[in-house]
Amino acid sequence: MQRYYKPVRISWRFLLLLLHIILSIFLAIPFLDKTIRPGSVAARYVLWWHRRICNIFGMKVKTDGRINEQPTLFVVNHISWFDIPALGSIVPVHFLSKDEVNSWPIIGWLAAKAGTLFIKRGEKGASTQSMQEIQSALSNGRHVIVFPEGTTTDGSSVKRFHSRLFQAAIDAGVQVQAIALRYPHPDGVHPKVPYVGETQLIKSTLGLMSEASMEARLHFLPPINASDYTRDELAQITREQIVTLIQSAS
């Protein structure tokens, strides 16, 4: 009987998602100004937008630990494109994303309006520019989230953290907080969530929509004063925090 419910569930959720995106276009104009400062109208709008996405997909987001309230560089292990709404539903932040997203119809425009910082991978000076943008956001009282692995994984392991962007937190004199992200499932990681290899976005989206319910767990680990360490040390420490948490939760 379950197989007959899935097409109906997917169709209904797809309709809700389409309506949500259409509504977002009109609401983004008056409420978003590319500056997501905690407590602002724009921040509350972005939180609502991501929470609505999670609700449409049946994703329950749960948190452990204390969320740092002062301007923070959050670093997270990367599993799926759905990491963004899961994280964005809890913390009002600026995300760092590949520049290709900026050219996506509608989604790119909404991401830019929501303060996404875009990085042009492979271009000379791209990392330096991104680091400067992150530092500026942090210095002006905002949160930024980065995925230091630089790519997604299947959730069973954590790749090496690239350290360059950690320099932005050191230069801004703020704290770094690691977030261990998990999608619990009896088999370890929910099989529909990882966005890896040759997986296509539409196939991943429909797969997630087909599930009755899922859970994302965000573990906020003890924050670190960036100025007390080098960027390489920050990358190593935060990665070890995340790996330890994931291993203990398995």
Side-chain angles (χ1 to χ4, degrees):
M1 184 64 71
Q2 179 67 16
R3 64 180 180 178
Y4 296 110
Y5 291 148
K6 286 188 176 182
V8 175
R9 182 184 298 131
I10 292 173
S11 298
W12 176 243
R13 287 178 170 172
F14 193 85
L15 176 61
L16 290 177
L17 179 62
L18 181 61
L19 292 174
H20 180 56
I21 292 175
I22 292 173
L23 177 62
S24 301
I25 295 173
F26 294 99
L27 293 179
I29 296 173
F31 292 132
L32 293 184
D33 60 359
K34 298 185 179 182
T35 302
I36 311 303
R37 193 179 303 278
S40 66
V41 173
R44 291 195 293 270
Y45 170 81
V46 171
L47 286 171
W48 166 82
W49 193 90
H50 286 115
R51 286 169 183 166
R52 182 59 184 154
I53 292 290
C54 291
N55 288 338
I56 290 171
F57 279 80
M59 182 71 74
K60 298 178 182 179
V61 182
K62 299 182 179 180
T63 65
D64 294 321
R66 182 182 64 84
I67 303 173
N68 211 29
E69 295 183 358
Q70 63 190 60
T72 303
L73 179 68
F74 293 100
V75 296
V76 195
N77 57 305
H78 202 8
I79 301 172
S80 171
W81 63 268
F82 208 93
D83 298 350
I84 293 176
L87 291 159
S89 69
I90 300 299
V91 186
V93 297
H94 290 267
F95 286 95
L96 182 66
S97 176
K98 59 184 181 180
D99 190 60
E100 296 93 297
V101 174
N102 196 21
S103 63
W104 291 0
I106 302 178
I107 297 298
W109 179 78
L110 285 172
K113 288 286 286 183
T116 299
L117 307 176
F118 297 102
I119 180 171
K120 296 181 179 179
R121 294 176 180 173
E123 292 192 13
K124 185 177 180 181
S127 294
T128 299
Q129 180 181 354
S130 297
M131 188 170 64
Q132 292 173 345
E133 291 181 357
I134 293 172
Q135 179 187 343
S136 176
L138 294 169
S139 298
N140 284 283
R142 289 170 270 164
H143 298 311
V144 178
I145 280 184
V146 298
F147 300 104
E149 293 167 285
T151 186
T152 54
T153 71
D154 63 5
S156 63
S157 62
V158 180
K159 293 182 179 293
R160 181 179 71 88
F161 277 10
H162 298 284
S163 64
R164 187 180 183 97
L165 296 179
F166 285 84
Q167 188 65 44
I170 297 173
D171 294 342
V174 300
Q175 291 188 323
V176 175
Q177 185 170 27
I179 306 173
L181 174 59
R182 300 169 51 241
Y183 295 93
H185 187 268
D187 295 331
V189 180
H190 198 293
K192 293 292 181 67
V193 175
Y195 187 62
V196 293
E198 300 301 319
T199 305
Q200 295 181 342
L201 181 59
I202 185 63
K203 182 178 180 180
S204 172
T205 300
L206 295 178
L208 290 170
M209 285 183 170
S210 70
E211 294 296 294
S213 64
M214 296 170 288
E215 179 182 311
R217 183 64 67 93
L218 308 180
H219 304 268
F220 289 82
L221 301 163
I224 302 168
N225 291 321
S227 57
D228 293 341
Y229 302 92
T230 67
R231 68 190 193 189
D232 289 337
E233 290 172 335
L234 289 171
Q236 180 179 354
I237 292 170
T238 52
R239 181 184 179 278
E240 288 176 352
Q241 285 181 310
I242 292 173
V243 169
T244 300
L245 189 287
I246 291 176
Q247 290 177 343
S248 66
S250 300

